[in-house]
Amino acid sequence: MNIGAHVRGGGKLIPSLEAGVAIGATSIQVFTQSPRMWKPSQYAPEVLSAYREAQATHPTITDTFCHATYLINLASADLELYEKSVACLTHNLSVARGMGSSGLVLHVGSHKGAGFDDVVRQIADAFERALAEADPAPEGVADCPILIENAAGAGGTVGRSLEEIQFLIDACNGDDRLGLCVDTQHLWASGFDYSSVAGTEKLVREIDNSVGMSRLRCFHLNDSKIELGGNRDRHANIGEGTIGAKGLAPLVGHPKIRDLPLLLEVPGTGEGPRAEDVVAARAVVAAGIKLYDGPTSSAPIKKAAPTKKTTVKKIAMKKAMPVKKSPKKAVKKTTAVKKSPKKTAPTKKTVKKTAPTKKTVKKTLKKTVKKSTPVKKTAKKTTKKK
Ligand SMILES: [Zn+2]
Ligand SMILES: [Zn+2]
């Protein structure tokens, strides 16, 4: 499992990684700039490359996701706001690409009642422009997809259903650089009940039949202050909301979901995700895995389940760190081995195909994305590095 968290680095990039480590997260999400201001962040190329390097070699943090500015509204009828939004998205994407991010999560915006059909084309245009005009990903760095986040469904928000998101991707001719981030709270608020194994199976089928599971790159893991179908965006700490630990378990334990980065955006005590929130999330995933695999699979995680508040925080971190380090290092080593072109045993081919590590899959996926995007390549050639 890969429990991540939205963290704040105080406007600096590398400290964000340490903020993730401090709470025991193995992925992080950051804002590329102040989320409620248009003012673009100004990172020098060296700052971005230093982050990229720090992330790529980090012993415990596997992925950095970026969250785009909240002010962006690609569905706005106000041309000035629309243009500002496209420029802002483009800048966000430049930074995310420069950081070597695994995805830029985006709230598409709201048509304010005009109707979804009326705004599909302008949103698709915005995606196409941002993907073409943002600074290209540096040589050898996997491209960063724009991940459309599903909406809770209030006030004409776009992306309240998988169908809407599929329409947007289709309108961009299925561009491989567009993907999906599912927020568990938004999904619940939009009326999708995944709180049973049957409900989750239905969700996985729907994703498969719409955008496809390969576009699903991460989850936002949140409980909800709003009831099922309440159409509002209000996150609660895991186990403290209307979904509850029991309602989240079938989703996060599903075999096709459990290994994706599950990023907490919970309030904590007002400062965002804490170590105990990460511990709570791990316990939910462990419980969910049991639903599918039976009771034997998650014995080591059980120890971390918290009962008291303050003392648990320190203990949990101490316990969580060494546990995490070993599997991660193992993964890295395997990846390194696989990278070096060993041609010793040709029979190994089949073995490799059946049991790829997550990282390898991801890298291959990303490479395929890169290869299949002629648009980006042309952009790279024409817009020379400054
Ligand atoms: Zn979001
Ligand atoms: Zn979210």
Side-chain angles (χ1 to χ4, degrees), residues 60-101:
T60 54
I61 307 283
T62 63
D63 296 88
T64 296
F65 290 86
C66 294
H67 199 300
T69 312
Y70 288 130
L71 301 174
I72 291 173
N73 186 359
L74 304 180
S76 177
D78 175 344
L79 189 63
E80 196 188 327
L81 176 59
Y82 175 75
E83 285 300 326
K84 255 176 141 173
S85 297
V86 177
C88 185
L89 174 62
T90 305
H91 180 76
N92 279 199
L93 186 59
S94 293
V95 174
R97 281 176 173 173
M99 288 171 70
S101 172

Side-chain angles (χ1 to χ4, degrees), residues 44-352:
E46 313 85 73
V47 174
L48 293 174
S49 62
Y51 184 85
R52 233 163 39 231
E53 179 64 19
Q55 161 66 91
T57 58
H58 200 280
T60 54
I61 307 283
T62 63
D63 296 88
T64 296
F65 290 86
C66 294
H67 199 300
T69 312
Y70 288 130
L71 301 174
I72 291 173
N73 186 359
L74 304 180
S76 177
D78 175 344
L79 189 63
E80 196 188 327
L81 176 59
Y82 175 75
E83 285 300 326
K84 255 176 141 173
S85 297
V86 177
C88 185
L89 174 62
T90 305
H91 180 76
N92 279 199
L93 186 59
S94 293
V95 174
R97 281 176 173 173
M99 288 171 70
S101 172
S102 301
L104 173 66
V105 180
L106 171 75
H107 299 186
V108 176
S110 167
H111 56 65
K112 312 235 154 98
F116 177 73
D117 293 345
D118 280 14
V119 293
V120 172
R121 194 58 248 164
Q122 75 180 60
I123 295 168
D125 288 345
F127 287 153
E128 284 167 358
R129 281 171 61 188
L131 288 166
E133 289 164 22
D135 296 342
E139 280 301 325
V141 176
D143 202 357
C144 169
I146 295 175
L147 304 179
I148 303 169
E149 180 171 354
N150 64 309
T157 42
V158 173
R160 63 211 298 173
S161 67
L162 291 163
E163 292 74 32
E164 281 193 4
I165 294 171
Q166 184 190 359
F167 257 98
L168 296 177
I169 295 173
D170 285 351
C172 295
N173 299 315
D175 195 309
D176 284 335
R177 297 166 297 174
L178 294 174
L180 172 67
C181 162
V182 171
D183 187 307
T184 57
Q185 193 277 325
H186 300 178
L187 190 62
W188 185 254
S190 72
F192 202 119
D193 185 358
Y194 51 79
S195 65
S196 62
V197 168
T200 291
E201 296 281 16
K202 182 169 177 274
L203 173 68
V204 170
R205 260 196 323 275
E206 283 195 18
I207 294 173
D208 239 344
N209 293 336
S210 55
V211 303
M213 284 299 280
S214 62
R215 289 192 198 264
L216 175 60
R217 299 300 175 84
C218 65
F219 272 80
H220 282 168
L221 178 54
N222 303 305
D223 209 327
S224 178
K225 287 185 178 161
I226 302 299
E227 70 282 9
L228 176 69
N231 289 129
R232 283 196 297 151
D233 180 347
R234 297 280 185 283
H235 301 181
N237 294 329
I238 303 301
E240 296 175 11
T242 59
I243 315 169
K246 258 193 150 176
L248 287 166
L251 179 72
V252 294
H254 191 280
K256 288 186 176 171
I257 292 172
R258 61 176 69 151
D259 292 324
L260 286 168
L262 307 172
L263 311 166
L264 292 163
E265 291 178 320
V266 298
T269 51
E271 300 287 300
R274 305 154 296 175
E276 59 209 86
D277 298 313
V278 174
V279 171
R282 284 184 196 287
V284 172
V285 178
I289 290 173
K290 274 188 200 169
L291 294 174
Y292 297 90
D293 295 5
T296 47
S297 60
S298 55
I301 293 120
K302 225 185 171 184
K303 279 182 191 166
T307 37
K308 286 174 199 167
K309 272 187 182 171
T310 37
T311 41
V312 167
K313 197 170 179 179
K314 281 176 190 167
I315 298 165
M317 277 177 60
K318 275 184 188 166
K319 275 189 180 167
M321 297 310 293
V323 175
K324 228 177 301 138
K325 269 187 182 171
S326 43
K328 229 233 124 179
K329 273 189 180 165
V331 170
K332 281 218 162 165
K333 270 177 195 164
T334 347
T335 330
V337 171
K338 276 187 181 165
K339 264 188 182 173
S340 57
K342 262 188 185 174
K343 275 190 177 175
T344 39
T347 40
K348 271 191 179 169
K349 262 189 182 173
T350 30
V351 178
K352 265 192 183 175

Side-chain angles (χ1 to χ4, degrees), residues 32-42 69 71 88 91-92:
T32 47
Q33 66 185 60
S34 179
R36 299 187 194 278
M37 286 165 66
W38 290 110
K39 190 171 169 269
S41 51
Q42 305 286 352
T69 312
L71 301 174
C88 185
H91 180 76
N92 279 199

